[in-house]
C-alpha cells in the first residue's frame, strides 16, 4: 500500500461532498494536493484552467485520481438513515416529512436549524459517512490510510 504525504482526509471528504457537475476534484497521489477543475463553459477559460488541464491530461490515472463525488440519491439515503437514528418522535416525523416532500435537501436542513444539537449530530454523522467512503476509495486504489483522524 502506498502512503501519500500531506494527505488531508477532511479536504478529501469536502471534495467528495461537493457534487456540483461544474467542478471536479483530483488527488495528486505523489504530493497529496487536491486540485479543482472548473468547467470552462460555466467559469470561462483562464491560464489556471489551461495549465491544470495539461497537468491532468499528462497524469490522469498515474499522478492524478479523480475524487468521486457523492450522488444525490446517496446523500438522500444518508439523510433518511440519520432520521431513523433520532429518538424524539416529533423531530423524526418532521425530518421524514421533509424528506418525502418537494426540495427534501432544503427542508431537511431547515428542520435541523430548529434543533441545534441534532444539527451538530447530523454534521458528525454525515462527515463520518463521507470519511468511510473516502477511506474505501483510497484503499481501492492501494493507498494506505493513516488511522489517526485529522
Amino acid at each position: 500500500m502506498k502512503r501519500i504525504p500531506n494527505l488531508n482526509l477532511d479536504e478529501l471528504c469536502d471534495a467528495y461532498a461537493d457534487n456540483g457537475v461544474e467542478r471536479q476534484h483530483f488527488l495528486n497521489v505523489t504530493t497529496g494536493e487536491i486540485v479543482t477543475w472548473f468547467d470552462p463553459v460555466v467559469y470561462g477559460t483562464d491560464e489556471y484552467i489551461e495549465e491544470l488541464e495539461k497537468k491532468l491530461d499528462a497524469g490522469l490515472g498515474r499522478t492524478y485520481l479523480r475524487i468521486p463525488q457523492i450522488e444525490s440519491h446517496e446523500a438522500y439515503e444518508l439523510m433518511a438513515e440519520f432520521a431513523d437514528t433520532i429518538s424524539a418522535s416529533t423531530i423524526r416525523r418532521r425530518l421524514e416529512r421533509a424528506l418525502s416532500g418537494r426540495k427534501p435537501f432544503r427542508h431537511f436542513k431547515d428542520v435541523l436549524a430548529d434543533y441545534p444539537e441534532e444539527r451538530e449530530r447530523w454534521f458528525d454523522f454525515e462527515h463520518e459517512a463521507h470519511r468511510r467512503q473516502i477511506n474505501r476509495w483510497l484503499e481501492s486504489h492501494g493507498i494506505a490510510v493513516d488511522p489517526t483522524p485529522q
Side-chain angles (χ1 to χ4, degrees), residues 69-117:
Q69 295 170 294
I70 191 168
E71 300 285 335
S72 291
H73 70 89
E74 294 168 319
Y76 179 89
E77 290 168 8
L78 193 58
M79 292 186 303
E81 187 180 324
F82 175 76
D84 288 342
T85 70
I86 307 255
S87 58
S89 60
T90 304
I91 301 170
R92 187 176 58 252
R93 276 196 305 273
R94 284 190 66 196
L95 288 173
E96 289 168 349
R97 215 173 311 124
L99 291 172
S100 65
R102 293 188 57 202
K103 299 186 179 183
F105 292 91
R106 168 80 308 190
H107 291 130
F108 181 87
K109 291 176 183 175
D110 289 346
V111 170
L112 287 178
D114 293 338
Y115 305 97
E117 288 180 19

Side-chain angles (χ1 to χ4, degrees), residues 11-45:
E11 286 182 13
L12 281 169
C13 288
D14 290 344
Y16 173 73
D18 176 14
N19 64 353
V21 295
E22 68 280 354
R23 293 175 304 281
Q24 293 181 14
H25 306 279
F26 296 84
L27 172 65
N28 182 319
V29 297
T30 305
T31 66
E33 175 189 21
I34 295 171
V35 295
T36 302
W37 173 86
F38 298 93
D39 186 339
V41 172
V42 176
Y43 292 98
T45 303

Side-chain angles (χ1 to χ4, degrees), residues 55-67:
K55 282 199 294 194
L56 291 172
D57 285 343
L60 199 56
R62 292 183 315 279
T63 306
Y64 290 96
L65 292 176
R66 185 181 175 280
I67 300 168

